[in-house]
Structures are given as C-alpha cells and as structure tokens.
Amino acid sequence: DIQMTQSPSSLSASVGDRVTITCRASQSISTYLNWYQQKPGKAPKLLIYDASSLQSGVPSRFSGSGSGTDFTLTISSLQPEDFATYYCQQNYTPYSFGQGTKLEIK
Amino acid sequence: QLQLQESGPGLVKPSETLSLTCTVSGGSISNSDYYWGWIRQPPGKGLEWIGSIYYGGSTYYNPSLKSRVTQSVDTSKNQFSLTLSSVTAADTAVYYCARHKSSDYRDYFDYWGQGTLVTVSS
C-alpha cells in the first residue's frame, strides 16, 4: 500500500499570507494526487485533482503542483474562510489519504 | 445540484453489523461515468477509503476491511449501501458516502454526503 505523508501537521498563518503544504508518497504516483479541504463538522471538499487541476468553483488562489512522489498545495493569499484541515489523497487502490494539515489563524 | 445523504443507526453493538444507505438526489446513480464510494473518519483522525461500487454492481474494497465489507446498489431507489460486519470500537467513525469519478487513475471524490456518526458501544 502507498503511504502519504503531509508536512507540516499544523501551520499558523495570517490572512494574506502565502502558504504551502507538502505531501509525499511512499512510491511514485505520477500525478495521481488530489487535495481536499475539510472544515470542522463538514465533509471534505475537493480542491485539486490530478495534482494541478482546479476543481470547478474553487478559487484560483488555490494551486497544486508536483509529480512522482512530491506534491504541494499552495494558497497564494489566505482568506478567512481558508482556515481548515487539508488532506492529500493518492489514486492507486487502496486509495489513501495523508494525515492532514491543520491550518490555523496566527 | 447533486446531493448525497447517509442514513442508518447511530449506535451499533460490538460484534454486530453496521448498515448504512446513501440516497442520491439531483442526479442518477446509473451515470456510467461514476462509481459511488464510502469513506470513514474516526473522531479527531484522518480519512480512510472503505470501498466503491458501480451502478452495474462491480465493487472494489480496501483490503484492510474487505473481509467484513459488503456493498450493494439499488438503481430503482437511486441508493447504494454499505454493511460492515463484526464491528468493534475501532469502527466508530463518521461515515461518508461520495460520488467517485474513476478514469485511468485520475480518480477523485467530488460530491460528498454530510456524514453520519456511527458509534460502536454496548
């Protein structure tokens, strides 16, 4: 099975900051990587699929990059509604998620 | 707008079987472009994929749960279901159903239900 490791596990930032979250796969997964945002008590929301494709309706301040084993999610200018937990997910079965990165207000 | 809604008991006794149903509205479960999946999240923890099913009935499962999981689909009711047998406290989690786009590894879960908390306790 492929293990997904996110870093950092938590992050404090301010509105307007540029933030980068990293996800590393235990073996190469090409670009088969998705990113989700989850707010407390809510279901995850798809942000990015296939490493860099923006899901319809997601603001353009979110972007994804990477291939092989190393991937990043970048938020170019943090907005108040972006404080949440972010998960990466790889697409070889069994599908697996990273442990999450909690983005908190500084 | 597509909506998914989980339903089922919120409390299950240890060693018994957990049964959940997901009702899809605003779209057809028979759409050939999609599978329909289950993901769970223990309180305060991360996400775990359980399995996915196609409207025609083909399924695939997380091997870690495969021996205890059964999925089914009822196209006439636009529903799909999950059963998990021999539950323990470790199966306590929020269970989500989701639409699963599956295409040459470019898979993703793009619509999710709100989730339902299932507690395993005597």
Side-chain angles (χ1 to χ4, degrees):
Chain A
D1 295 2
I2 298 173
Q3 310 302 316
M4 306 301 293
T5 304
Q6 291 181 230
S7 60
S9 295
S10 64
L11 174 62
S12 295
S14 301
V15 172
D17 284 353
R18 180 183 180 89
V19 167
T20 297
I21 297 169
T22 297
C23 179
R24 174 164 288 175
S26 60
Q27 64 190 72
S28 178
I29 56 170
S30 185
T31 60
Y32 306 142
L33 187 284
N34 308 317
W35 289 98
Y36 300 85
Q37 175 194 68
Q38 186 178 34
K39 296 182 179 179
K42 300 295 187 181
K45 172 188 175 182
L46 177 67
L47 300 175
I48 302 283
Y49 62 94
D50 201 24
S52 61
S53 296
L54 193 67
Q55 172 68 350
S56 175
V58 174
S60 59
R61 63 181 180 272
F62 291 92
S63 63
S65 65
S67 66
T69 60
D70 294 317
F71 301 86
T72 59
L73 172 70
T74 299
I75 309 172
S76 61
S77 178
L78 271 175
Q79 298 302 301
E81 61 268 29
D82 299 336
F83 292 95
T85 299
Y86 293 84
Y87 293 94
C88 60
Q89 175 243 318
Q90 63 81 23
N91 283 329
Y92 287 93
T93 56
Y95 306 120
S96 54
F97 295 82
Q99 83 279 14
T101 294
K102 187 174 184 179
L103 179 53
E104 299 175 303
I105 301 174
K106 184 181 287 184
Chain B
Q1 177 76 343
L2 191 75
Q3 293 186 320
L4 293 85
Q5 178 68 58
E6 304 89 352
S7 59
L11 181 64
V12 180
K13 290 182 169 55
S15 80
E16 296 190 346
T17 296
L18 176 162
S19 295
L20 296 173
T21 295
C22 183
T23 301
V24 178
S25 58
S28 174
I29 201 170
S30 301
N31 188 320
S32 59
D33 290 336
Y34 300 99
Y35 276 71
W36 303 89
W38 292 95
I39 300 103
R40 70 179 183 178
Q41 185 173 36
K45 296 187 178 181
L47 299 158
E48 179 182 34
W49 172 70
I50 300 169
S52 295
I53 187 167
Y54 195 58
Y55 79 93
S58 61
T59 57
Y60 52 120
Y61 299 102
N62 191 324
S64 68
L65 297 167
K66 185 176 182 178
S67 64
R68 299 194 290 132
V69 173
T70 303
Q71 296 178 94
S72 61
V73 62
D74 186 336
T75 56
S76 67
K77 295 182 178 179
N78 229 31
Q79 294 176 335
F80 60 106
S81 298
L82 171 76
T83 63
L84 179 65
S85 63
S86 305
V87 298
T88 69
D91 295 310
T92 294
V94 175
Y95 286 76
Y96 295 101
C97 59
R99 189 175 79 169
H100 175 182
K101 174 70 172 178
S102 181
S103 175
D104 294 333
Y105 300 108
R106 289 178 170 81
D107 296 28
Y108 50 78
F109 300 96
D110 60 351
Y111 283 90
W112 296 62
Q114 65 185 25
T116 187
L117 175 62
V118 178
T119 301
V120 178
S121 175
S122 56

Short mmCIF file of all heavy atoms in Angstrom, two decimals, chain B residues 35-77:
data_model
loop_
_atom_site.label_atom_id
_atom_site.label_comp_id
_atom_site.label_asym_id
_atom_site.label_seq_id
_atom_site.Cartn_x
_atom_site.Cartn_y
_atom_site.Cartn_z
N TYR B 35 -18.42 5.89 -10.15
CA TYR B 35 -18.63 4.93 -9.08
C TYR B 35 -19.21 5.70 -7.90
O TYR B 35 -19.32 6.94 -7.94
CB TYR B 35 -17.31 4.27 -8.67
CG TYR B 35 -16.88 3.10 -9.53
CD1 TYR B 35 -16.42 3.29 -10.83
CD2 TYR B 35 -16.91 1.81 -9.03
CE1 TYR B 35 -16.02 2.21 -11.61
CE2 TYR B 35 -16.50 0.72 -9.79
CZ TYR B 35 -16.06 0.93 -11.08
OH TYR B 35 -15.66 -0.13 -11.84
N TRP B 36 -19.53 4.95 -6.85
CA TRP B 36 -20.08 5.55 -5.63
C TRP B 36 -19.34 4.93 -4.45
O TRP B 36 -19.25 3.70 -4.33
CB TRP B 36 -21.58 5.30 -5.56
CG TRP B 36 -22.25 5.85 -6.79
CD1 TRP B 36 -22.46 5.20 -7.97
CD2 TRP B 36 -22.70 7.20 -6.97
NE1 TRP B 36 -23.03 6.06 -8.88
CE2 TRP B 36 -23.20 7.29 -8.30
CE3 TRP B 36 -22.76 8.33 -6.16
CZ2 TRP B 36 -23.73 8.46 -8.82
CZ3 TRP B 36 -23.30 9.50 -6.68
CH2 TRP B 36 -23.78 9.56 -7.99
N GLY B 37 -18.79 5.80 -3.60
CA GLY B 37 -17.87 5.30 -2.61
C GLY B 37 -18.25 5.59 -1.17
O GLY B 37 -19.15 6.39 -0.90
N TRP B 38 -17.55 4.89 -0.27
CA TRP B 38 -17.67 5.09 1.17
C TRP B 38 -16.29 5.42 1.74
O TRP B 38 -15.30 4.75 1.43
CB TRP B 38 -18.23 3.86 1.86
CG TRP B 38 -19.66 3.56 1.51
CD1 TRP B 38 -20.12 2.70 0.55
CD2 TRP B 38 -20.83 4.12 2.11
NE1 TRP B 38 -21.49 2.70 0.52
CE2 TRP B 38 -21.95 3.57 1.47
CE3 TRP B 38 -21.04 5.04 3.14
CZ2 TRP B 38 -23.26 3.90 1.83
CZ3 TRP B 38 -22.34 5.36 3.49
CH2 TRP B 38 -23.43 4.80 2.84
N ILE B 39 -16.25 6.43 2.58
CA ILE B 39 -15.03 6.86 3.28
C ILE B 39 -15.43 7.09 4.74
O ILE B 39 -16.52 7.59 5.01
CB ILE B 39 -14.48 8.17 2.67
CG1 ILE B 39 -14.14 7.98 1.19
CG2 ILE B 39 -13.26 8.65 3.43
CD1 ILE B 39 -15.17 8.57 0.25
N ARG B 40 -14.54 6.73 5.65
CA ARG B 40 -14.85 6.97 7.06
C ARG B 40 -13.75 7.77 7.74
O ARG B 40 -12.61 7.83 7.25
CB ARG B 40 -15.10 5.66 7.80
CG ARG B 40 -13.87 4.80 8.00
CD ARG B 40 -14.25 3.53 8.77
NE ARG B 40 -13.08 2.70 9.04
CZ ARG B 40 -13.12 1.57 9.73
NH1 ARG B 40 -14.28 1.10 10.21
NH2 ARG B 40 -12.01 0.87 9.95
N GLN B 41 -14.11 8.36 8.89
CA GLN B 41 -13.18 9.21 9.63
C GLN B 41 -13.43 9.04 11.12
O GLN B 41 -14.41 9.57 11.64
CB GLN B 41 -13.36 10.67 9.21
CG GLN B 41 -12.37 11.62 9.84
CD GLN B 41 -12.49 13.02 9.25
OE1 GLN B 41 -13.58 13.49 8.92
NE2 GLN B 41 -11.35 13.69 9.11
N PRO B 42 -12.56 8.30 11.81
CA PRO B 42 -12.70 8.21 13.28
C PRO B 42 -12.61 9.59 13.89
O PRO B 42 -11.93 10.48 13.35
CB PRO B 42 -11.51 7.33 13.68
CG PRO B 42 -11.16 6.57 12.45
CD PRO B 42 -11.45 7.50 11.31
N PRO B 43 -13.26 9.80 15.03
CA PRO B 43 -13.25 11.13 15.66
C PRO B 43 -11.84 11.66 15.86
O PRO B 43 -10.98 10.99 16.43
CB PRO B 43 -13.95 10.87 17.00
CG PRO B 43 -14.85 9.71 16.73
CD PRO B 43 -14.11 8.85 15.76
N GLY B 44 -11.60 12.86 15.34
CA GLY B 44 -10.32 13.52 15.50
C GLY B 44 -9.19 12.94 14.66
O GLY B 44 -8.02 13.33 14.85
N LYS B 45 -9.52 12.03 13.75
CA LYS B 45 -8.47 11.38 12.96
C LYS B 45 -8.65 11.63 11.47
O LYS B 45 -9.49 12.44 11.06
CB LYS B 45 -8.46 9.89 13.28
CG LYS B 45 -8.09 9.58 14.73
CD LYS B 45 -7.92 8.10 14.97
CE LYS B 45 -7.50 7.84 16.40
NZ LYS B 45 -7.30 6.39 16.67
N GLY B 46 -7.87 10.93 10.66
CA GLY B 46 -7.88 11.13 9.22
C GLY B 46 -8.90 10.27 8.49
O GLY B 46 -9.71 9.58 9.10
N LEU B 47 -8.82 10.32 7.17
CA LEU B 47 -9.80 9.70 6.29
C LEU B 47 -9.32 8.33 5.81
O LEU B 47 -8.13 8.14 5.52
CB LEU B 47 -10.04 10.61 5.08
CG LEU B 47 -10.60 12.00 5.43
CD1 LEU B 47 -10.30 12.99 4.32
CD2 LEU B 47 -12.10 11.90 5.68
N GLU B 48 -10.25 7.39 5.72
CA GLU B 48 -9.95 6.04 5.25
C GLU B 48 -10.99 5.62 4.21
O GLU B 48 -12.20 5.62 4.50
CB GLU B 48 -9.95 5.05 6.41
CG GLU B 48 -9.66 3.61 5.98
CD GLU B 48 -9.71 2.63 7.13
OE1 GLU B 48 -10.52 2.83 8.05
OE2 GLU B 48 -8.94 1.64 7.11
N TRP B 49 -10.53 5.28 3.01
CA TRP B 49 -11.43 4.78 1.98
C TRP B 49 -11.84 3.35 2.32
O TRP B 49 -10.99 2.52 2.64
CB TRP B 49 -10.74 4.83 0.62
CG TRP B 49 -11.49 4.17 -0.49
CD1 TRP B 49 -12.64 4.59 -1.08
CD2 TRP B 49 -11.11 2.96 -1.15
NE1 TRP B 49 -13.02 3.72 -2.07
CE2 TRP B 49 -12.10 2.71 -2.13
CE3 TRP B 49 -10.06 2.05 -1.02
CZ2 TRP B 49 -12.06 1.60 -2.98
CZ3 TRP B 49 -10.00 0.96 -1.85
CH2 TRP B 49 -11.00 0.74 -2.82
N ILE B 50 -13.14 3.08 2.22
CA ILE B 50 -13.66 1.75 2.53
C ILE B 50 -13.87 0.93 1.26
O ILE B 50 -13.46 -0.23 1.17
CB ILE B 50 -15.00 1.86 3.29
CG1 ILE B 50 -14.81 2.62 4.60
CG2 ILE B 50 -15.60 0.47 3.54
CD1 ILE B 50 -16.12 3.00 5.28
N GLY B 51 -14.52 1.53 0.28
CA GLY B 51 -14.80 0.81 -0.95
C GLY B 51 -15.64 1.64 -1.89
O GLY B 51 -16.15 2.71 -1.52
N SER B 52 -15.80 1.14 -3.11
CA SER B 52 -16.60 1.83 -4.13
C SER B 52 -17.37 0.81 -4.94
O SER B 52 -16.94 -0.34 -5.09
CB SER B 52 -15.71 2.66 -5.05
OG SER B 52 -15.08 3.71 -4.36
N ILE B 53 -18.53 1.25 -5.47
CA ILE B 53 -19.40 0.37 -6.25
C ILE B 53 -19.89 1.09 -7.49
O ILE B 53 -20.13 2.30 -7.47
CB ILE B 53 -20.58 -0.12 -5.38
CG1 ILE B 53 -21.40 -1.19 -6.12
CG2 ILE B 53 -21.47 1.04 -4.92
CD1 ILE B 53 -22.36 -1.94 -5.21
N TYR B 54 -20.02 0.34 -8.59
CA TYR B 54 -20.56 0.86 -9.84
C TYR B 54 -22.04 0.51 -9.89
O TYR B 54 -22.48 -0.46 -9.26
CB TYR B 54 -19.82 0.22 -11.01
CG TYR B 54 -20.00 0.87 -12.34
CD1 TYR B 54 -19.67 2.21 -12.54
CD2 TYR B 54 -20.47 0.14 -13.43
CE1 TYR B 54 -19.81 2.80 -13.79
CE2 TYR B 54 -20.61 0.71 -14.67
CZ TYR B 54 -20.28 2.04 -14.85
OH TYR B 54 -20.42 2.61 -16.09
N TYR B 55 -22.80 1.28 -10.68
CA TYR B 55 -24.25 1.03 -10.73
C TYR B 55 -24.57 -0.38 -11.23
O TYR B 55 -25.61 -0.94 -10.88
CB TYR B 55 -24.94 2.09 -11.58
CG TYR B 55 -24.85 1.89 -13.07
CD1 TYR B 55 -25.85 1.21 -13.77
CD2 TYR B 55 -23.77 2.39 -13.79
CE1 TYR B 55 -25.77 1.04 -15.13
CE2 TYR B 55 -23.68 2.22 -15.15
CZ TYR B 55 -24.68 1.54 -15.83
OH TYR B 55 -24.59 1.37 -17.19
N GLY B 56 -23.66 -0.93 -12.02
CA GLY B 56 -23.86 -2.28 -12.51
C GLY B 56 -23.56 -3.35 -11.48
O GLY B 56 -23.83 -4.55 -11.72
N GLY B 57 -22.98 -2.94 -10.35
CA GLY B 57 -22.74 -3.87 -9.25
C GLY B 57 -21.28 -4.22 -9.01
O GLY B 57 -20.97 -4.85 -8.00
N SER B 58 -20.38 -3.85 -9.91
CA SER B 58 -18.97 -4.17 -9.66
C SER B 58 -18.45 -3.35 -8.50
O SER B 58 -18.83 -2.19 -8.32
CB SER B 58 -18.13 -3.95 -10.91
OG SER B 58 -18.20 -2.61 -11.31
N THR B 59 -17.59 -3.98 -7.72
CA THR B 59 -17.13 -3.35 -6.49
C THR B 59 -15.62 -3.49 -6.34
O THR B 59 -15.01 -4.39 -6.91
CB THR B 59 -17.79 -4.01 -5.26
OG1 THR B 59 -17.50 -5.42 -5.29
CG2 THR B 59 -19.28 -3.80 -5.24
N TYR B 60 -15.05 -2.59 -5.55
CA TYR B 60 -13.70 -2.83 -5.05
C TYR B 60 -13.59 -2.22 -3.66
O TYR B 60 -14.33 -1.30 -3.31
CB TYR B 60 -12.60 -2.37 -6.01
CG TYR B 60 -12.63 -0.98 -6.55
CD1 TYR B 60 -11.56 -0.13 -6.30
CD2 TYR B 60 -13.65 -0.53 -7.35
CE1 TYR B 60 -11.54 1.14 -6.81
CE2 TYR B 60 -13.64 0.75 -7.87
CZ TYR B 60 -12.58 1.57 -7.61
OH TYR B 60 -12.56 2.85 -8.12
N TYR B 61 -12.71 -2.85 -2.89
CA TYR B 61 -12.66 -2.60 -1.47
C TYR B 61 -11.23 -2.33 -1.00
O TYR B 61 -10.26 -2.77 -1.61
CB TYR B 61 -13.16 -3.84 -0.70
CG TYR B 61 -14.58 -4.24 -0.99
CD1 TYR B 61 -14.86 -5.30 -1.85
CD2 TYR B 61 -15.65 -3.57 -0.41
CE1 TYR B 61 -16.17 -5.67 -2.11
CE2 TYR B 61 -16.96 -3.94 -0.66
CZ TYR B 61 -17.21 -5.00 -1.52
OH TYR B 61 -18.51 -5.36 -1.77
N ASN B 62 -11.13 -1.66 0.13
CA ASN B 62 -9.87 -1.56 0.83
C ASN B 62 -9.56 -2.95 1.42
O ASN B 62 -10.38 -3.49 2.17
CB ASN B 62 -9.96 -0.52 1.94
CG ASN B 62 -8.61 -0.18 2.53
OD1 ASN B 62 -7.75 -1.04 2.68
ND2 ASN B 62 -8.44 1.08 2.87
N PRO B 63 -8.42 -3.53 1.08
CA PRO B 63 -8.11 -4.88 1.60
C PRO B 63 -8.14 -4.96 3.12
O PRO B 63 -8.42 -6.04 3.66
CB PRO B 63 -6.70 -5.14 1.06
CG PRO B 63 -6.59 -4.29 -0.15
CD PRO B 63 -7.38 -3.05 0.16
N SER B 64 -7.88 -3.86 3.79
CA SER B 64 -7.87 -3.88 5.26
C SER B 64 -9.25 -4.14 5.84
O SER B 64 -9.37 -4.54 7.00
CB SER B 64 -7.33 -2.55 5.80
OG SER B 64 -8.24 -1.49 5.52
N LEU B 65 -10.29 -3.95 5.05
CA LEU B 65 -11.67 -4.13 5.51
C LEU B 65 -12.45 -5.15 4.69
O LEU B 65 -13.57 -5.51 5.05
CB LEU B 65 -12.42 -2.79 5.46
CG LEU B 65 -11.88 -1.69 6.36
CD1 LEU B 65 -12.51 -0.35 5.98
CD2 LEU B 65 -12.17 -2.00 7.83
N LYS B 66 -11.85 -5.62 3.62
CA LYS B 66 -12.57 -6.40 2.63
C LYS B 66 -13.33 -7.60 3.20
O LYS B 66 -14.44 -7.90 2.78
CB LYS B 66 -11.61 -6.88 1.53
CG LYS B 66 -12.30 -7.60 0.39
CD LYS B 66 -11.31 -7.96 -0.71
CE LYS B 66 -12.03 -8.66 -1.87
NZ LYS B 66 -11.09 -8.98 -2.98
N SER B 67 -12.72 -8.27 4.17
CA SER B 67 -13.35 -9.48 4.72
C SER B 67 -14.64 -9.17 5.47
O SER B 67 -15.45 -10.07 5.72
CB SER B 67 -12.37 -10.21 5.64
OG SER B 67 -12.06 -9.40 6.76
N ARG B 68 -14.85 -7.92 5.84
CA ARG B 68 -16.02 -7.55 6.64
C ARG B 68 -17.02 -6.66 5.91
O ARG B 68 -18.08 -6.35 6.44
CB ARG B 68 -15.58 -6.84 7.92
CG ARG B 68 -14.70 -7.67 8.85
CD ARG B 68 -14.60 -7.04 10.22
NE ARG B 68 -13.83 -5.81 10.20
CZ ARG B 68 -14.23 -4.67 10.77
NH1 ARG B 68 -15.40 -4.61 11.37
NH2 ARG B 68 -13.44 -3.61 10.76
N VAL B 69 -16.68 -6.23 4.70
CA VAL B 69 -17.49 -5.23 4.00
C VAL B 69 -18.28 -5.83 2.85
O VAL B 69 -17.77 -6.68 2.10
CB VAL B 69 -16.60 -4.09 3.46
CG1 VAL B 69 -17.41 -3.13 2.60
CG2 VAL B 69 -15.95 -3.33 4.61
N THR B 70 -19.53 -5.37 2.71
CA THR B 70 -20.34 -5.69 1.54
C THR B 70 -20.99 -4.40 1.05
O THR B 70 -21.45 -3.59 1.87
CB THR B 70 -21.45 -6.71 1.88
OG1 THR B 70 -20.86 -7.90 2.41
CG2 THR B 70 -22.25 -7.06 0.63
N GLN B 71 -20.99 -4.22 -0.24
CA GLN B 71 -21.66 -3.07 -0.84
C GLN B 71 -22.74 -3.56 -1.79
O GLN B 71 -22.61 -4.62 -2.39
CB GLN B 71 -20.68 -2.19 -1.62
CG GLN B 71 -19.60 -1.54 -0.77
CD GLN B 71 -18.66 -0.73 -1.62
OE1 GLN B 71 -18.83 0.48 -1.78
NE2 GLN B 71 -17.67 -1.38 -2.19
N SER B 72 -23.79 -2.75 -1.94
CA SER B 72 -24.85 -3.07 -2.90
C SER B 72 -25.40 -1.77 -3.45
O SER B 72 -25.17 -0.69 -2.90
CB SER B 72 -25.96 -3.88 -2.23
OG SER B 72 -26.54 -3.15 -1.17
N VAL B 73 -26.13 -1.90 -4.56
CA VAL B 73 -26.72 -0.72 -5.20
C VAL B 73 -28.15 -1.04 -5.60
O VAL B 73 -28.46 -2.18 -6.01
CB VAL B 73 -25.87 -0.27 -6.41
CG1 VAL B 73 -25.81 -1.35 -7.47
CG2 VAL B 73 -26.36 1.04 -6.97
N ASP B 74 -29.03 -0.07 -5.45
CA ASP B 74 -30.43 -0.20 -5.86
C ASP B 74 -30.74 0.96 -6.79
O ASP B 74 -31.02 2.08 -6.33
CB ASP B 74 -31.35 -0.19 -4.63
CG ASP B 74 -32.80 -0.47 -4.98
OD1 ASP B 74 -33.20 -0.24 -6.13
OD2 ASP B 74 -33.54 -0.94 -4.09
N THR B 75 -30.64 0.72 -8.08
CA THR B 75 -30.83 1.80 -9.04
C THR B 75 -32.27 2.31 -9.05
O THR B 75 -32.50 3.48 -9.34
CB THR B 75 -30.43 1.35 -10.45
OG1 THR B 75 -31.17 0.17 -10.80
CG2 THR B 75 -28.94 1.05 -10.51
N SER B 76 -33.23 1.45 -8.71
CA SER B 76 -34.63 1.88 -8.71
C SER B 76 -34.89 2.93 -7.63
O SER B 76 -35.79 3.77 -7.76
CB SER B 76 -35.57 0.68 -8.52
OG SER B 76 -35.42 0.14 -7.22
N LYS B 77 -34.11 2.89 -6.56
CA LYS B 77 -34.26 3.86 -5.47
C LYS B 77 -33.16 4.92 -5.49
O LYS B 77 -33.14 5.80 -4.64
CB LYS B 77 -34.24 3.14 -4.12
CG LYS B 77 -35.41 2.20 -3.90
CD LYS B 77 -35.33 1.56 -2.51
CE LYS B 77 -36.52 0.65 -2.27
NZ LYS B 77 -36.44 0.00 -0.93
#
